[in-house]
Amino acid sequence: MTHVASHSNGRRTVPDLPAPWPHARPAYLDAATAVLRSGEWSDYAYGELVRGFEIQVARYHQRRFCLSTSSGTSALQAGYVGLGLAPGDEAIVPTYSFHATVAPLFMLGVVPVLCDVEADTGNIDVADAASRVTERTKAVVVTHMWGLPVDVAAVTRLCRTFGLALVEDCSHAHGARVGGRVVGSFGDVAVMSLGGRKMVTGGCGGALLTDSEETFHRALPVGHAHERAELHLPAEDVAVGLGANFRMSPVAAAICAEQFNDLDARIAVKTSVLDGLGERLLSNDCGLTPPVRVPGTTRGGWFGYKALMDRDLDADLLDTYVSHARARGVVIDRPSNKPLHWRRMFRTRSLEPSYYRLPQGSARPLYDIDEFDGANRFYRRSVSFPAVHLHEPCDGLLDEYVNALTEVAHEL
């Protein structure tokens, strides 16, 4: 087993963390090498590697169309265009999400309207989202945060009630399921990042999924041109594309295709490791509870593991708790992903789009920092574990982690 550097202190030595994902498995290396030897890695045309990857991803999610992209963000932008969102339209987005969820909306002149999330899951609060629907609302965007699927049935009812499009961001949740059905198969559009340390990663990459031919055709020319656009859109005025270059490289496609082949097996191993961590947190008085389990769902990509501070342990001590744990060699931290309404794009007038129409001369921020109770509570109670390292069994490490955390909780 490969490890990163160990940590030690005067009271105990914590075992090394396993090496972080992604791992250079032989099948992945062979796939990349084969592309380089074929010469297709420099091919801008819509070649067999990218075509085969799209077919594979569409089948995995049981969708009609898959459009490969250079990133999850570019997939979102293409998806928003594909749905026909236009300047002045509104899209409801949970405030606890990655900033890239809303960035393409700003670029397209679409108004991102933030809503709250559930304090125990970090996923969209459907009732709060419903309260923010207006005559200009055209879509609801959900993120399956940290691999936990949202309440798909409730979100779908909301969208049907108001005639809204549903956009699923599955970047954290590759292979997660609801009632046996994989996420990414529910929305009018579904997207995923295939970059960084995602469970399926080609370094950079993304994918868009839909069953609507119209949506697919509108999304295609956003980032694809020439041979690919001409394959579906023969008219010369659209075949050249709309100015962006969002194509996935054949090397990334080949690596991601191999990772989809063993995705479910890898999810099973990672789930067993993180379920083991959760069981240890529950059976020890360490001040933390594991992420919520929702009956009928499975977590997929496990992009993050966020334990929550117990209510009986003062949440104001969380930073102290984390620093004491780290002094013992336990690699935990506060989540880096803060609620969107805390970010500058929603806190200052300088970045405020004119279509928010605040009173002339008003200095009021777009959203008050205390406005979303669920998101604030979830973030302020969250402790982030190094999920990127926990892809293989490490029982000794987990035992030592929880023993050290129990000591910290008793000291505080």
Side-chain angles (χ1 to χ4, degrees):
M1 181 185 297
T2 305
H3 297 88
V4 297
S6 63
H7 304 271
S8 64
N9 57 72
R11 284 163 289 189
R12 70 169 70 249
T13 298
V14 176
D16 299 344
L17 282 167
W21 174 259
H23 303 152
R25 295 189 172 189
Y28 310 160
L29 295 174
D30 290 345
T33 301
V35 180
L36 295 175
R37 287 175 175 168
S38 72
E40 191 175 337
W41 62 278
S42 62
D43 191 355
Y44 271 95
Y46 182 48
E48 290 301 317
L49 282 170
V50 175
R51 186 194 306 264
F53 168 74
E54 291 181 347
I55 292 171
Q56 178 185 22
V57 176
R59 286 176 177 170
Y60 182 88
H61 295 89
Q62 298 182 342
R63 304 307 297 258
R64 290 183 63 199
F65 301 101
C66 174
L67 179 66
S68 58
T69 63
S70 58
S71 68
T73 306
S74 58
L76 277 164
Q77 182 164 337
Y80 293 148
V81 173
L83 290 172
L85 300 186
D89 289 342
E90 295 177 356
I92 295 176
V93 184
T95 187
Y96 192 67
S97 183
F98 193 53
H99 69 86
T101 306
V102 300
L105 295 172
F106 279 118
M107 293 177 67
L108 297 172
V110 178
V111 182
V113 175
L114 301 184
C115 71
D116 208 353
V117 301
E118 298 168 337
D120 58 343
T121 68
N123 277 336
I124 187 170
D125 182 327
V126 178
D128 187 69
S131 72
R132 299 175 187 272
V133 175
T134 73
E135 68 280 359
R136 296 200 298 169
T137 307
K138 296 297 189 296
V140 176
V141 186
V142 298
T143 304
H144 303 291
M145 287 300 295
W146 310 124
L148 177 65
V150 303
D151 186 343
V152 173
V155 173
T156 300
R157 284 195 301 270
L158 166 65
C159 291
R160 287 177 178 170
T161 297
F162 293 100
L164 308 176
L166 173 59
V167 179
E168 286 184 88
D169 186 341
C170 308
S171 299
H172 289 190
H174 300 163
R177 285 172 166 79
V178 179
R181 182 174 166 183
V182 69
V183 299
S185 65
F186 297 95
D188 297 280
V189 162
V191 302
M192 64 188 68
S193 168
L194 302 172
R197 298 192 182 277
K198 304 298 192 307
M199 202 70 163
V200 176
T201 176
C204 288
L208 176 154
L209 296 157
T210 185
D211 291 326
S212 167
E213 186 172 24
E214 180 182 8
T215 298
F216 176 72
H217 283 178
R218 280 197 298 241
L220 178 60
V222 173
H224 295 256
H226 304 303
E227 294 90 349
R228 178 66 195 282
E230 291 170 352
L231 181 65
H232 301 280
L233 305 170
E236 293 183 2
D237 58 339
V238 295
V240 295
L242 298 179
N245 184 0
F246 290 158
R247 289 172 289 188
M248 173 183 271
S249 80
V251 175
I255 295 171
C256 287
E258 284 297 330
Q259 291 178 4
F260 265 106
N261 287 337
D262 64 5
L263 173 60
D264 292 335
R266 289 186 290 107
I267 288 174
V269 173
K270 189 170 185 179
T271 297
S272 69
V273 174
L274 294 178
D275 280 351
L277 173 57
E279 291 165 3
R280 288 169 171 83
L281 294 177
L282 285 174
S283 60
N284 289 269
D285 184 19
C286 59
L288 299 174
T289 56
V292 169
R293 293 187 181 207
V294 177
T297 69
T298 64
R299 287 185 184 254
W302 285 102
F303 186 62
Y305 187 96
K306 312 302 174 187
L308 297 181
M309 176 75 67
D310 286 345
R311 294 182 185 275
D312 57 324
L313 187 59
D314 189 346
D316 292 339
L317 295 177
L318 188 51
D319 286 339
T320 303
Y321 181 100
V322 169
S323 64
H324 282 210
R326 291 180 68 86
R328 287 170 165 78
V330 178
V331 183
I332 60 173
D333 208 340
R334 300 301 312 285
S336 59
N337 196 66
K338 296 180 180 180
L340 293 175
H341 69 284
W342 291 21
R343 294 187 176 274
R344 191 168 182 265
M345 65 176 73
F346 290 106
R347 297 290 303 156
T348 66
R349 293 298 305 276
S350 63
L351 295 181
E352 174 213 327
S354 60
Y355 45 69
Y356 275 102
R357 299 194 179 98
L358 290 182
Q360 185 67 31
S362 171
R364 180 178 67 82
L366 299 178
Y367 293 97
D368 186 83
I369 199 167
D370 295 320
E371 183 168 349
F372 298 102
D373 182 63
N376 290 341
R377 287 169 58 199
F378 183 86
Y379 177 77
R380 287 171 174 154
R381 292 177 58 213
S382 292
V383 174
S384 185
F385 282 76
V388 69
H389 289 273
L390 303 178
H391 285 255
E392 55 189 78
C394 51
D395 288 341
L397 170 72
L398 299 182
D399 288 339
E400 291 298 328
Y401 262 39
V402 173
N403 289 338
L405 293 175
T406 301
E407 289 181 0
V408 172
H410 290 169
E411 288 178 0
L412 299 180

